[in-house]
Amino acid sequence: METVEQVRQAGVFSTVRRSVRMTVGQQRVWETNWAQLGRKLEDIPAGLVDLGDWFGREAPTVLEIGSGMGEGTSQLARQAPHVNHIAAEVYPAGLGQLMLWVEKYELDNVRLLHGDALEFLTDHLPAGSLAGVRVFFPDPWPKKRHHKRRLITPPFVKLLASRLQPGGRLHLATDWQDYADDMLAICSAEPQLVNEYDGWAPRPDWRPITKFESRAHAEGRSCHDLMFTKSAT
């Protein structure tokens, strides 16, 4: 397995922290709920995270990388109360907003990670620990000279596949055609993964349409979903 440095050198540069002021509501819920729901990457002790202890139960666990403002994450958690959902995001206001959704819907199956999902996957999650990984609309870095900064690279997909349990799903979505083509080629070349469809997956009705996706449609960009399953061998 590659180290964090090796995977990052291959192109994973999209997990930089952003400093954005939170709203009063986001700040309030951060102060009251973060200790229960969230963890900052730098505060996690060395070694593997006990997911059952973090959630207070044993259940299939899905990691969402880049949960944005959390609206879609909260809807998916409402739809699947039997699943544990980890939302990894570097944008504090987005995590604050997600906690507002968690509070509104009284969700007990969502936990939040503030920090680099790459380091979390490499240093704190054991192989075969996840039932699913979701990466919805990662930064497309549309200029060709910036493509090396894109999140979905062969080493990163290999890492994601290693953390999936047999039968676990990697679900990707993007509204940039050339990025979609790259994602399909990269995932198809990963021997641990099998495409669930012949190319693109049909857009699942259960994936919420967020403001981000609505804007992409308004600007004339088609959205593509990909679903790959971890093979049993």
Side-chain angles (χ1 to χ4, degrees):
M1 176 60 63
E2 290 87 349
T3 65
V4 171
E5 291 74 18
Q6 289 171 323
V7 176
R8 197 184 305 285
Q9 286 171 8
V12 183
F13 292 94
S14 60
T15 52
V16 294
R17 292 181 182 272
R18 305 174 189 175
S19 179
V20 178
R21 181 174 296 179
M22 288 188 280
T23 66
V24 173
Q26 293 163 0
Q27 185 66 47
R28 188 268 305 168
V29 78
W30 190 289
E31 293 173 355
T32 57
N33 293 355
W34 180 259
Q36 176 188 355
L37 300 178
R39 293 187 180 182
K40 293 184 178 181
L41 181 66
E42 60 264 32
D43 294 336
I44 298 177
L48 301 178
V49 170
D50 186 330
L51 296 177
D53 180 67
W54 193 9
F55 282 89
R57 68 174 187 176
E58 299 293 335
T61 301
V62 173
L63 172 66
E64 182 175 357
I65 300 174
S67 53
M69 297 306 288
E71 180 180 6
T73 306
S74 65
Q75 295 300 325
L76 291 170
R78 291 181 74 195
Q79 293 173 21
H82 62 288
V83 173
N84 292 338
H85 300 259
I86 301 174
E89 179 57 67
V90 297
Y91 184 38
L95 292 172
Q97 187 63 40
L98 175 54
M99 282 191 285
L100 287 173
W101 292 113
V102 168
E103 183 179 69
K104 176 180 180 179
Y105 297 127
E106 298 181 344
L107 301 174
D108 60 4
N109 61 334
V110 177
R111 297 294 183 267
L112 293 76
L113 173 72
H114 182 212
D116 189 342
L118 170 59
E119 293 186 30
F120 182 66
L121 284 158
T122 303
D123 298 337
H124 300 294
L125 286 184
S129 58
L130 297 174
V133 176
R134 295 170 178 152
V135 188
F136 294 158
F137 304 99
D139 193 328
W141 294 100
K143 294 182 180 180
K144 189 172 182 179
R145 67 177 182 274
H146 292 156
H147 284 187
K148 64 182 180 179
R149 297 177 179 269
R150 287 176 169 175
L151 182 65
I152 304 303
T153 64
F156 191 58
V157 168
K158 180 180 180 181
L159 173 63
L160 296 179
S162 74
R163 296 309 187 253
L164 288 172
Q165 63 192 38
R169 171 184 284 171
L170 173 60
H171 185 178
L172 309 177
T174 183
D175 57 319
W176 287 85
Q177 183 65 53
D178 69 317
Y179 201 2
D181 293 337
D182 284 348
M183 288 178 174
L184 177 58
I186 290 168
C187 292
S188 297
E190 172 49 56
Q192 301 175 81
L193 299 176
V194 177
N195 196 341
E196 297 180 23
Y197 298 89
D198 183 15
W200 316 117
R203 191 199 183 286
D205 293 337
W206 48 262
R207 181 168 66 73
I209 299 177
T210 63
K211 293 179 181 178
F212 184 91
E213 186 173 359
S214 297
R215 184 170 68 248
H217 284 300
E219 294 174 356
R221 294 192 301 277
S222 298
C223 297
H224 294 284
D225 284 73
L226 288 169
M227 297 184 188
F228 281 76
T229 300
K230 172 75 171 287
S231 62
T233 57

